[in-house]
Amino acid sequence: MSTVPGWDGPPPLAVVVDLDDTLYPQAAYLAAAAAAVGTAAGAAGLDGDAVHAALVAELAAGSDAGGTIDRALLAAGVPAGALARLVPPLVAAFTACAPERLDPYPGVREALAALAGAVPVGCLTDGNPAIQAAKLAATGLGPLLTAVLVTDTLGGRAARKPAPQGLLALAARLGVPADRVLVIGDRPGKDVAVAAAVGARAIRVRQGEYAAAPDVPAPWAATGSFPEAAELALAVAARAVAV
């Protein structure tokens, strides 16, 4: 079900979507990456199953924090003194994970195509650029997007949402003022907050790792799925055509 307040002011001229847990379930990618790390740990002479299980637990506790592989190794009984030698190749195994396929949430492909037929659609995502590119390629959704921007390319973790520079740069690529985009994403503290930072509005999608997070800051609307969010976005974007 959707919660829809009224829309006042000028309608959006473009839509910006998040990637992880908005277009596809990120848990599918994290499972593949954790398995790759477990295999690499075994090849390095460690207990690969133990490292894999510990990394799965660390990622379940919060996939956005750094140092997950370090903590997983410690939890698997690896001495702290060995981390400097072992972590880099395991991080490389995680980064190199490129699943052949990541299935989008139901209805996402059709909803994204409908949006793309009406307004420019960009994707703004945080993370390692190689990892994010591999995820997007595996979803097969790239051709439906006018532009993609990985915030880390603008200055590493400091440029991640809710820092505004990524959305400002992507809006420029889409050829619209930043305050005339409508953001769709799953995380209030990132997707809704970055929209607010540039004077834009956001639709929050309650799914994935942060589905139960409170609506702080408050979005313009909240839905239970991306297709519902796209339907709302199309309804308000149509007002730009009518004006």
Side-chain angles (χ1 to χ4, degrees):
M1 294 293 292
S2 311
T3 302
V4 189
W7 182 281
D8 56 358
L13 299 177
V15 171
V16 168
V17 301
D18 173 54
L19 175 60
D20 298 313
D21 281 339
T22 296
L23 300 182
Y24 83 102
Q26 183 177 218
Y29 174 82
L30 294 177
V37 170
T39 298
L46 301 174
D47 184 338
D49 290 340
V51 171
H52 176 238
L55 182 55
V56 168
E58 286 293 334
L59 291 171
S63 63
D64 196 38
T68 52
I69 291 177
D70 304 59
R71 293 192 297 275
L73 289 176
L74 293 173
V78 175
L83 294 187
R85 173 177 60 87
L86 293 171
V87 168
L90 297 186
V91 169
F94 190 106
T95 303
C97 178
E100 183 175 338
R101 178 172 175 172
L102 290 171
D103 291 325
Y105 284 115
V108 163
R109 192 177 308 278
E110 297 78 8
L112 199 57
L115 277 176
V119 293
V121 180
C123 178
L124 185 67
T125 180
D126 295 334
N128 180 295
I131 291 176
Q132 298 309 100
K135 292 173 179 176
L136 185 58
T139 67
L141 298 174
L144 297 174
L145 298 166
T146 304
V148 177
L149 194 152
V150 181
T151 56
D152 287 42
T153 62
L154 300 179
R157 297 182 72 91
R160 294 184 178 182
K161 298 175 279 186
Q165 57 260 50
L167 187 52
L168 290 169
L170 183 54
R173 293 187 193 180
L174 296 173
V176 303
D179 62 355
R180 295 292 298 277
V181 303
L182 177 58
V183 176
I184 300 176
D186 66 296
R187 294 185 64 175
K190 282 183 171 281
D191 304 307
V192 178
V194 74
V198 302
R201 303 185 206 189
I203 301 174
R204 187 264 178 99
V205 183
R206 293 194 178 105
Q207 59 190 17
E209 182 178 345
Y210 295 90
D215 282 326
V216 179
W220 167 69
T223 71
S225 72
F226 184 83
E228 287 181 279
E231 184 177 358
L232 290 179
L234 283 169
V236 292
R239 301 183 186 186
V241 177
V243 173

PDB file of all heavy atoms in Angstrom, residues 1-40:
ATOM      1  N   MET A   1       0.847  -1.197   0.000  1.00  0.00           N
ATOM      2  CA  MET A   1       0.000   0.000   0.000  1.00  0.00           C
ATOM      3  C   MET A   1       0.880   1.243   0.000  1.00  0.00           C
ATOM      4  O   MET A   1       1.978   1.242   0.525  1.00  0.00           O
ATOM      5  CB  MET A   1      -0.903   0.026   1.228  1.00  0.00           C
ATOM      6  CG  MET A   1      -1.930  -1.083   1.237  1.00  0.00           C
ATOM      7  SD  MET A   1      -3.147  -0.887  -0.098  1.00  0.00           S
ATOM      8  CE  MET A   1      -4.010   0.582   0.462  1.00  0.00           C
ATOM      9  N   SER A   2       0.417   2.305  -0.575  1.00  0.00           N
ATOM     10  CA  SER A   2       1.163   3.548  -0.665  1.00  0.00           C
ATOM     11  C   SER A   2       0.569   4.589   0.263  1.00  0.00           C
ATOM     12  O   SER A   2      -0.630   4.608   0.522  1.00  0.00           O
ATOM     13  CB  SER A   2       1.123   4.098  -2.099  1.00  0.00           C
ATOM     14  OG  SER A   2       1.440   3.133  -3.028  1.00  0.00           O
ATOM     15  N   THR A   3       1.434   5.450   0.763  1.00  0.00           N
ATOM     16  CA  THR A   3       0.988   6.614   1.515  1.00  0.00           C
ATOM     17  C   THR A   3       1.280   7.821   0.657  1.00  0.00           C
ATOM     18  O   THR A   3       2.440   8.129   0.389  1.00  0.00           O
ATOM     19  CB  THR A   3       1.743   6.711   2.850  1.00  0.00           C
ATOM     20  OG1 THR A   3       1.529   5.515   3.583  1.00  0.00           O
ATOM     21  CG2 THR A   3       1.256   7.900   3.648  1.00  0.00           C
ATOM     22  N   VAL A   4       0.250   8.526   0.179  1.00  0.00           N
ATOM     23  CA  VAL A   4       0.445   9.583  -0.801  1.00  0.00           C
ATOM     24  C   VAL A   4      -0.082  10.920  -0.293  1.00  0.00           C
ATOM     25  O   VAL A   4      -1.278  11.111  -0.185  1.00  0.00           O
ATOM     26  CB  VAL A   4      -0.277   9.246  -2.125  1.00  0.00           C
ATOM     27  CG1 VAL A   4       0.132  10.246  -3.194  1.00  0.00           C
ATOM     28  CG2 VAL A   4       0.032   7.841  -2.567  1.00  0.00           C
ATOM     29  N   PRO A   5       0.805  11.842   0.043  1.00  0.00           N
ATOM     30  CA  PRO A   5       0.338  13.201   0.353  1.00  0.00           C
ATOM     31  C   PRO A   5       0.098  13.959  -0.937  1.00  0.00           C
ATOM     32  O   PRO A   5       0.368  13.463  -2.035  1.00  0.00           O
ATOM     33  CB  PRO A   5       1.532  13.778   1.119  1.00  0.00           C
ATOM     34  CG  PRO A   5       2.711  13.065   0.540  1.00  0.00           C
ATOM     35  CD  PRO A   5       2.235  11.683   0.183  1.00  0.00           C
ATOM     36  N   GLY A   6      -0.392  15.180  -0.837  1.00  0.00           N
ATOM     37  CA  GLY A   6      -0.579  15.983  -2.036  1.00  0.00           C
ATOM     38  C   GLY A   6       0.756  16.451  -2.589  1.00  0.00           C
ATOM     39  O   GLY A   6       1.768  16.449  -1.897  1.00  0.00           O
ATOM     40  N   TRP A   7       0.737  16.846  -3.844  1.00  0.00           N
ATOM     41  CA  TRP A   7       1.941  17.386  -4.481  1.00  0.00           C
ATOM     42  C   TRP A   7       1.672  18.843  -4.822  1.00  0.00           C
ATOM     43  O   TRP A   7       0.731  19.161  -5.538  1.00  0.00           O
ATOM     44  CB  TRP A   7       2.264  16.610  -5.758  1.00  0.00           C
ATOM     45  CG  TRP A   7       3.526  17.100  -6.422  1.00  0.00           C
ATOM     46  CD1 TRP A   7       3.681  18.208  -7.198  1.00  0.00           C
ATOM     47  CD2 TRP A   7       4.812  16.487  -6.361  1.00  0.00           C
ATOM     48  NE1 TRP A   7       4.983  18.341  -7.617  1.00  0.00           N
ATOM     49  CE2 TRP A   7       5.705  17.293  -7.119  1.00  0.00           C
ATOM     50  CE3 TRP A   7       5.308  15.335  -5.743  1.00  0.00           C
ATOM     51  CZ2 TRP A   7       7.059  16.981  -7.282  1.00  0.00           C
ATOM     52  CZ3 TRP A   7       6.650  15.023  -5.896  1.00  0.00           C
ATOM     53  CH2 TRP A   7       7.508  15.834  -6.651  1.00  0.00           C
ATOM     54  N   ASP A   8       2.497  19.726  -4.292  1.00  0.00           N
ATOM     55  CA  ASP A   8       2.375  21.131  -4.650  1.00  0.00           C
ATOM     56  C   ASP A   8       3.706  21.574  -5.272  1.00  0.00           C
ATOM     57  O   ASP A   8       4.726  20.949  -5.092  1.00  0.00           O
ATOM     58  CB  ASP A   8       2.026  22.001  -3.438  1.00  0.00           C
ATOM     59  CG  ASP A   8       3.028  21.835  -2.293  1.00  0.00           C
ATOM     60  OD1 ASP A   8       3.969  21.032  -2.423  1.00  0.00           O
ATOM     61  OD2 ASP A   8       2.860  22.506  -1.274  1.00  0.00           O
ATOM     62  N   GLY A   9       3.648  22.660  -6.019  1.00  0.00           N
ATOM     63  CA  GLY A   9       4.855  23.133  -6.671  1.00  0.00           C
ATOM     64  C   GLY A   9       5.073  22.473  -8.020  1.00  0.00           C
ATOM     65  O   GLY A   9       4.263  21.663  -8.479  1.00  0.00           O
ATOM     66  N   PRO A  10       6.195  22.806  -8.674  1.00  0.00           N
ATOM     67  CA  PRO A  10       6.453  22.268 -10.017  1.00  0.00           C
ATOM     68  C   PRO A  10       6.701  20.763  -9.990  1.00  0.00           C
ATOM     69  O   PRO A  10       7.271  20.240  -9.034  1.00  0.00           O
ATOM     70  CB  PRO A  10       7.702  23.035 -10.460  1.00  0.00           C
ATOM     71  CG  PRO A  10       8.363  23.449  -9.190  1.00  0.00           C
ATOM     72  CD  PRO A  10       7.256  23.717  -8.220  1.00  0.00           C
ATOM     73  N   PRO A  11       6.275  20.059 -11.017  1.00  0.00           N
ATOM     74  CA  PRO A  11       6.450  18.600 -11.065  1.00  0.00           C
ATOM     75  C   PRO A  11       7.895  18.221 -11.373  1.00  0.00           C
ATOM     76  O   PRO A  11       8.670  19.044 -11.872  1.00  0.00           O
ATOM     77  CB  PRO A  11       5.512  18.171 -12.194  1.00  0.00           C
ATOM     78  CG  PRO A  11       5.442  19.374 -13.078  1.00  0.00           C
ATOM     79  CD  PRO A  11       5.521  20.555 -12.169  1.00  0.00           C
ATOM     80  N   PRO A  12       8.275  16.988 -11.098  1.00  0.00           N
ATOM     81  CA  PRO A  12       9.649  16.557 -11.384  1.00  0.00           C
ATOM     82  C   PRO A  12       9.894  16.424 -12.885  1.00  0.00           C
ATOM     83  O   PRO A  12       8.994  16.069 -13.647  1.00  0.00           O
ATOM     84  CB  PRO A  12       9.731  15.198 -10.693  1.00  0.00           C
ATOM     85  CG  PRO A  12       8.318  14.697 -10.664  1.00  0.00           C
ATOM     86  CD  PRO A  12       7.470  15.921 -10.475  1.00  0.00           C
ATOM     87  N   LEU A  13      11.132  16.698 -13.284  1.00  0.00           N
ATOM     88  CA  LEU A  13      11.528  16.584 -14.689  1.00  0.00           C
ATOM     89  C   LEU A  13      12.387  15.349 -14.943  1.00  0.00           C
ATOM     90  O   LEU A  13      12.693  15.030 -16.095  1.00  0.00           O
ATOM     91  CB  LEU A  13      12.302  17.838 -15.103  1.00  0.00           C
ATOM     92  CG  LEU A  13      11.547  19.161 -14.992  1.00  0.00           C
ATOM     93  CD1 LEU A  13      12.474  20.317 -15.357  1.00  0.00           C
ATOM     94  CD2 LEU A  13      10.309  19.145 -15.879  1.00  0.00           C
ATOM     95  N   ALA A  14      12.787  14.665 -13.886  1.00  0.00           N
ATOM     96  CA  ALA A  14      13.590  13.446 -14.003  1.00  0.00           C
ATOM     97  C   ALA A  14      13.409  12.627 -12.736  1.00  0.00           C
ATOM     98  O   ALA A  14      12.992  13.145 -11.695  1.00  0.00           O
ATOM     99  CB  ALA A  14      15.063  13.778 -14.221  1.00  0.00           C
ATOM    100  N   VAL A  15      13.727  11.352 -12.828  1.00  0.00           N
ATOM    101  CA  VAL A  15      13.668  10.450 -11.671  1.00  0.00           C
ATOM    102  C   VAL A  15      15.055   9.881 -11.443  1.00  0.00           C
ATOM    103  O   VAL A  15      15.747   9.493 -12.390  1.00  0.00           O
ATOM    104  CB  VAL A  15      12.646   9.320 -11.897  1.00  0.00           C
ATOM    105  CG1 VAL A  15      12.750   8.263 -10.791  1.00  0.00           C
ATOM    106  CG2 VAL A  15      11.229   9.882 -11.950  1.00  0.00           C
ATOM    107  N   VAL A  16      15.466   9.832 -10.191  1.00  0.00           N
ATOM    108  CA  VAL A  16      16.738   9.227  -9.808  1.00  0.00           C
ATOM    109  C   VAL A  16      16.447   8.054  -8.882  1.00  0.00           C
ATOM    110  O   VAL A  16      15.741   8.219  -7.877  1.00  0.00           O
ATOM    111  CB  VAL A  16      17.657  10.247  -9.111  1.00  0.00           C
ATOM    112  CG1 VAL A  16      18.846   9.554  -8.457  1.00  0.00           C
ATOM    113  CG2 VAL A  16      18.143  11.292 -10.113  1.00  0.00           C
ATOM    114  N   VAL A  17      16.960   6.894  -9.223  1.00  0.00           N
ATOM    115  CA  VAL A  17      16.704   5.685  -8.437  1.00  0.00           C
ATOM    116  C   VAL A  17      17.978   5.206  -7.763  1.00  0.00           C
ATOM    117  O   VAL A  17      19.078   5.371  -8.291  1.00  0.00           O
ATOM    118  CB  VAL A  17      16.110   4.561  -9.307  1.00  0.00           C
ATOM    119  CG1 VAL A  17      14.801   4.997  -9.945  1.00  0.00           C
ATOM    120  CG2 VAL A  17      17.095   4.097 -10.384  1.00  0.00           C
ATOM    121  N   ASP A  18      17.819   4.615  -6.608  1.00  0.00           N
ATOM    122  CA  ASP A  18      18.895   3.907  -5.925  1.00  0.00           C
ATOM    123  C   ASP A  18      19.008   2.517  -6.566  1.00  0.00           C
ATOM    124  O   ASP A  18      18.125   2.097  -7.322  1.00  0.00           O
ATOM    125  CB  ASP A  18      18.546   3.818  -4.441  1.00  0.00           C
ATOM    126  CG  ASP A  18      19.512   2.958  -3.666  1.00  0.00           C
ATOM    127  OD1 ASP A  18      20.724   3.203  -3.737  1.00  0.00           O
ATOM    128  OD2 ASP A  18      19.048   2.026  -2.978  1.00  0.00           O
ATOM    129  N   LEU A  19      20.089   1.796  -6.261  1.00  0.00           N
ATOM    130  CA  LEU A  19      20.284   0.457  -6.816  1.00  0.00           C
ATOM    131  C   LEU A  19      20.004  -0.627  -5.781  1.00  0.00           C
ATOM    132  O   LEU A  19      19.030  -1.375  -5.885  1.00  0.00           O
ATOM    133  CB  LEU A  19      21.704   0.323  -7.367  1.00  0.00           C
ATOM    134  CG  LEU A  19      22.115  -1.064  -7.884  1.00  0.00           C
ATOM    135  CD1 LEU A  19      21.214  -1.512  -9.039  1.00  0.00           C
ATOM    136  CD2 LEU A  19      23.581  -1.064  -8.303  1.00  0.00           C
ATOM    137  N   ASP A  20      20.855  -0.719  -4.765  1.00  0.00           N
ATOM    138  CA  ASP A  20      20.780  -1.819  -3.801  1.00  0.00           C
ATOM    139  C   ASP A  20      19.512  -1.758  -2.956  1.00  0.00           C
ATOM    140  O   ASP A  20      19.217  -0.727  -2.324  1.00  0.00           O
ATOM    141  CB  ASP A  20      21.996  -1.782  -2.875  1.00  0.00           C
ATOM    142  CG  ASP A  20      23.303  -1.960  -3.632  1.00  0.00           C
ATOM    143  OD1 ASP A  20      23.380  -2.862  -4.468  1.00  0.00           O
ATOM    144  OD2 ASP A  20      24.253  -1.188  -3.363  1.00  0.00           O
ATOM    145  N   ASP A  21      18.774  -2.854  -2.936  1.00  0.00           N
ATOM    146  CA  ASP A  21      17.530  -2.995  -2.175  1.00  0.00           C
ATOM    147  C   ASP A  21      16.425  -2.069  -2.654  1.00  0.00           C
ATOM    148  O   ASP A  21      15.379  -1.961  -2.009  1.00  0.00           O
ATOM    149  CB  ASP A  21      17.760  -2.805  -0.670  1.00  0.00           C
ATOM    150  CG  ASP A  21      18.341  -4.050  -0.017  1.00  0.00           C
ATOM    151  OD1 ASP A  21      18.191  -5.147  -0.590  1.00  0.00           O
ATOM    152  OD2 ASP A  21      18.953  -3.931   1.052  1.00  0.00           O
ATOM    153  N   THR A  22      16.632  -1.411  -3.786  1.00  0.00           N
ATOM    154  CA  THR A  22      15.582  -0.635  -4.428  1.00  0.00           C
ATOM    155  C   THR A  22      15.170  -1.312  -5.731  1.00  0.00           C
ATOM    156  O   THR A  22      13.982  -1.538  -5.972  1.00  0.00           O
ATOM    157  CB  THR A  22      16.050   0.805  -4.718  1.00  0.00           C
ATOM    158  OG1 THR A  22      16.320   1.465  -3.474  1.00  0.00           O
ATOM    159  CG2 THR A  22      14.985   1.596  -5.476  1.00  0.00           C
ATOM    160  N   LEU A  23      16.148  -1.668  -6.553  1.00  0.00           N
ATOM    161  CA  LEU A  23      15.861  -2.342  -7.823  1.00  0.00           C
ATOM    162  C   LEU A  23      16.006  -3.856  -7.721  1.00  0.00           C
ATOM    163  O   LEU A  23      15.368  -4.591  -8.477  1.00  0.00           O
ATOM    164  CB  LEU A  23      16.786  -1.814  -8.915  1.00  0.00           C
ATOM    165  CG  LEU A  23      16.700  -0.310  -9.217  1.00  0.00           C
ATOM    166  CD1 LEU A  23      17.638   0.045 -10.364  1.00  0.00           C
ATOM    167  CD2 LEU A  23      15.279   0.113  -9.529  1.00  0.00           C
ATOM    168  N   TYR A  24      16.841  -4.331  -6.826  1.00  0.00           N
ATOM    169  CA  TYR A  24      17.050  -5.773  -6.654  1.00  0.00           C
ATOM    170  C   TYR A  24      17.409  -6.022  -5.192  1.00  0.00           C
ATOM    171  O   TYR A  24      17.848  -5.098  -4.492  1.00  0.00           O
ATOM    172  CB  TYR A  24      18.186  -6.270  -7.569  1.00  0.00           C
ATOM    173  CG  TYR A  24      19.539  -6.053  -6.960  1.00  0.00           C
ATOM    174  CD1 TYR A  24      20.242  -7.101  -6.368  1.00  0.00           C
ATOM    175  CD2 TYR A  24      20.102  -4.775  -6.890  1.00  0.00           C
ATOM    176  CE1 TYR A  24      21.459  -6.884  -5.757  1.00  0.00           C
ATOM    177  CE2 TYR A  24      21.308  -4.556  -6.283  1.00  0.00           C
ATOM    178  CZ  TYR A  24      21.984  -5.616  -5.715  1.00  0.00           C
ATOM    179  OH  TYR A  24      23.191  -5.407  -5.082  1.00  0.00           O
ATOM    180  N   PRO A  25      17.244  -7.252  -4.686  1.00  0.00           N
ATOM    181  CA  PRO A  25      17.596  -7.533  -3.285  1.00  0.00           C
ATOM    182  C   PRO A  25      19.103  -7.689  -3.118  1.00  0.00           C
ATOM    183  O   PRO A  25      19.708  -8.617  -3.642  1.00  0.00           O
ATOM    184  CB  PRO A  25      16.858  -8.840  -2.985  1.00  0.00           C
ATOM    185  CG  PRO A  25      16.639  -9.480  -4.313  1.00  0.00           C
ATOM    186  CD  PRO A  25      16.519  -8.365  -5.315  1.00  0.00           C
ATOM    187  N   GLN A  26      19.721  -6.781  -2.375  1.00  0.00           N
ATOM    188  CA  GLN A  26      21.167  -6.807  -2.232  1.00  0.00           C
ATOM    189  C   GLN A  26      21.670  -8.086  -1.570  1.00  0.00           C
ATOM    190  O   GLN A  26      22.815  -8.497  -1.768  1.00  0.00           O
ATOM    191  CB  GLN A  26      21.648  -5.590  -1.419  1.00  0.00           C
ATOM    192  CG  GLN A  26      23.155  -5.531  -1.304  1.00  0.00           C
ATOM    193  CD  GLN A  26      23.662  -4.316  -0.564  1.00  0.00           C
ATOM    194  OE1 GLN A  26      24.672  -3.758  -0.938  1.00  0.00           O
ATOM    195  NE2 GLN A  26      22.977  -3.889   0.481  1.00  0.00           N
ATOM    196  N   ALA A  27      20.816  -8.741  -0.787  1.00  0.00           N
ATOM    197  CA  ALA A  27      21.219  -9.971  -0.110  1.00  0.00           C
ATOM    198  C   ALA A  27      21.722 -11.012  -1.103  1.00  0.00           C
ATOM    199  O   ALA A  27      22.612 -11.809  -0.777  1.00  0.00           O
ATOM    200  CB  ALA A  27      20.044 -10.534   0.691  1.00  0.00           C
ATOM    201  N   ALA A  28      21.194 -11.004  -2.319  1.00  0.00           N
ATOM    202  CA  ALA A  28      21.634 -11.977  -3.320  1.00  0.00           C
ATOM    203  C   ALA A  28      23.088 -11.737  -3.704  1.00  0.00           C
ATOM    204  O   ALA A  28      23.872 -12.689  -3.861  1.00  0.00           O
ATOM    205  CB  ALA A  28      20.738 -11.888  -4.558  1.00  0.00           C
ATOM    206  N   TYR A  29      23.464 -10.463  -3.863  1.00  0.00           N
ATOM    207  CA  TYR A  29      24.863 -10.166  -4.183  1.00  0.00           C
ATOM    208  C   TYR A  29      25.772 -10.478  -2.997  1.00  0.00           C
ATOM    209  O   TYR A  29      26.848 -11.072  -3.160  1.00  0.00           O
ATOM    210  CB  TYR A  29      25.046  -8.706  -4.585  1.00  0.00           C
ATOM    211  CG  TYR A  29      26.506  -8.371  -4.772  1.00  0.00           C
ATOM    212  CD1 TYR A  29      27.149  -8.678  -5.964  1.00  0.00           C
ATOM    213  CD2 TYR A  29      27.256  -7.825  -3.734  1.00  0.00           C
ATOM    214  CE1 TYR A  29      28.508  -8.437  -6.116  1.00  0.00           C
ATOM    215  CE2 TYR A  29      28.611  -7.581  -3.878  1.00  0.00           C
ATOM    216  CZ  TYR A  29      29.229  -7.884  -5.078  1.00  0.00           C
ATOM    217  OH  TYR A  29      30.584  -7.664  -5.220  1.00  0.00           O
ATOM    218  N   LEU A  30      25.375 -10.092  -1.802  1.00  0.00           N
ATOM    219  CA  LEU A  30      26.205 -10.316  -0.630  1.00  0.00           C
ATOM    220  C   LEU A  30      26.443 -11.801  -0.394  1.00  0.00           C
ATOM    221  O   LEU A  30      27.540 -12.196   0.027  1.00  0.00           O
ATOM    222  CB  LEU A  30      25.559  -9.677   0.596  1.00  0.00           C
ATOM    223  CG  LEU A  30      25.466  -8.148   0.576  1.00  0.00           C
ATOM    224  CD1 LEU A  30      24.729  -7.646   1.818  1.00  0.00           C
ATOM    225  CD2 LEU A  30      26.843  -7.515   0.465  1.00  0.00           C
ATOM    226  N   ALA A  31      25.452 -12.633  -0.677  1.00  0.00           N
ATOM    227  CA  ALA A  31      25.624 -14.080  -0.522  1.00  0.00           C
ATOM    228  C   ALA A  31      26.693 -14.594  -1.481  1.00  0.00           C
ATOM    229  O   ALA A  31      27.550 -15.419  -1.107  1.00  0.00           O
ATOM    230  CB  ALA A  31      24.297 -14.790  -0.771  1.00  0.00           C
ATOM    231  N   ALA A  32      26.667 -14.116  -2.730  1.00  0.00           N
ATOM    232  CA  ALA A  32      27.657 -14.547  -3.708  1.00  0.00           C
ATOM    233  C   ALA A  32      29.049 -14.060  -3.319  1.00  0.00           C
ATOM    234  O   ALA A  32      30.040 -14.799  -3.432  1.00  0.00           O
ATOM    235  CB  ALA A  32      27.281 -14.029  -5.090  1.00  0.00           C
ATOM    236  N   ALA A  33      29.156 -12.813  -2.854  1.00  0.00           N
ATOM    237  CA  ALA A  33      30.449 -12.258  -2.476  1.00  0.00           C
ATOM    238  C   ALA A  33      31.020 -12.969  -1.256  1.00  0.00           C
ATOM    239  O   ALA A  33      32.232 -13.239  -1.181  1.00  0.00           O
ATOM    240  CB  ALA A  33      30.316 -10.768  -2.217  1.00  0.00           C
ATOM    241  N   ALA A  34      30.177 -13.287  -0.284  1.00  0.00           N
ATOM    242  CA  ALA A  34      30.643 -13.997   0.904  1.00  0.00           C
ATOM    243  C   ALA A  34      31.153 -15.390   0.538  1.00  0.00           C
ATOM    244  O   ALA A  34      32.160 -15.867   1.090  1.00  0.00           O
ATOM    245  CB  ALA A  34      29.519 -14.090   1.929  1.00  0.00           C
ATOM    246  N   ALA A  35      30.473 -16.039  -0.390  1.00  0.00           N
ATOM    247  CA  ALA A  35      30.920 -17.355  -0.845  1.00  0.00           C
ATOM    248  C   ALA A  35      32.281 -17.259  -1.531  1.00  0.00           C
ATOM    249  O   ALA A  35      33.157 -18.110  -1.345  1.00  0.00           O
ATOM    250  CB  ALA A  35      29.890 -17.968  -1.785  1.00  0.00           C
ATOM    251  N   ALA A  36      32.489 -16.206  -2.319  1.00  0.00           N
ATOM    252  CA  ALA A  36      33.772 -16.013  -3.001  1.00  0.00           C
ATOM    253  C   ALA A  36      34.892 -15.794  -1.988  1.00  0.00           C
ATOM    254  O   ALA A  36      36.005 -16.306  -2.158  1.00  0.00           O
ATOM    255  CB  ALA A  36      33.672 -14.825  -3.949  1.00  0.00           C
ATOM    256  N   VAL A  37      34.614 -15.046  -0.930  1.00  0.00           N
ATOM    257  CA  VAL A  37      35.613 -14.822   0.115  1.00  0.00           C
ATOM    258  C   VAL A  37      35.927 -16.125   0.843  1.00  0.00           C
ATOM    259  O   VAL A  37      37.088 -16.419   1.154  1.00  0.00           O
ATOM    260  CB  VAL A  37      35.138 -13.745   1.097  1.00  0.00           C
ATOM    261  CG1 VAL A  37      36.051 -13.665   2.320  1.00  0.00           C
ATOM    262  CG2 VAL A  37      35.081 -12.391   0.403  1.00  0.00           C
ATOM    263  N   GLY A  38      34.903 -16.921   1.123  1.00  0.00           N
ATOM    264  CA  GLY A  38      35.126 -18.204   1.776  1.00  0.00           C
ATOM    265  C   GLY A  38      36.021 -19.109   0.952  1.00  0.00           C
ATOM    266  O   GLY A  38      36.926 -19.770   1.477  1.00  0.00           O
ATOM    267  N   THR A  39      35.795 -19.134  -0.359  1.00  0.00           N
ATOM    268  CA  THR A  39      36.625 -19.946  -1.247  1.00  0.00           C
ATOM    269  C   THR A  39      38.065 -19.445  -1.242  1.00  0.00           C
ATOM    270  O   THR A  39      39.023 -20.241  -1.174  1.00  0.00           O
ATOM    271  CB  THR A  39      36.061 -19.899  -2.682  1.00  0.00           C
ATOM    272  OG1 THR A  39      34.750 -20.453  -2.674  1.00  0.00           O
ATOM    273  CG2 THR A  39      36.938 -20.679  -3.637  1.00  0.00           C
ATOM    274  N   ALA A  40      38.241 -18.127  -1.309  1.00  0.00           N
ATOM    275  CA  ALA A  40      39.587 -17.551  -1.298  1.00  0.00           C
ATOM    276  C   ALA A  40      40.284 -17.806   0.035  1.00  0.00           C
ATOM    277  O   ALA A  40      41.499 -18.045   0.082  1.00  0.00           O
ATOM    278  CB  ALA A  40      39.506 -16.056  -1.575  1.00  0.00           C
TER     279      ALA A  40
END
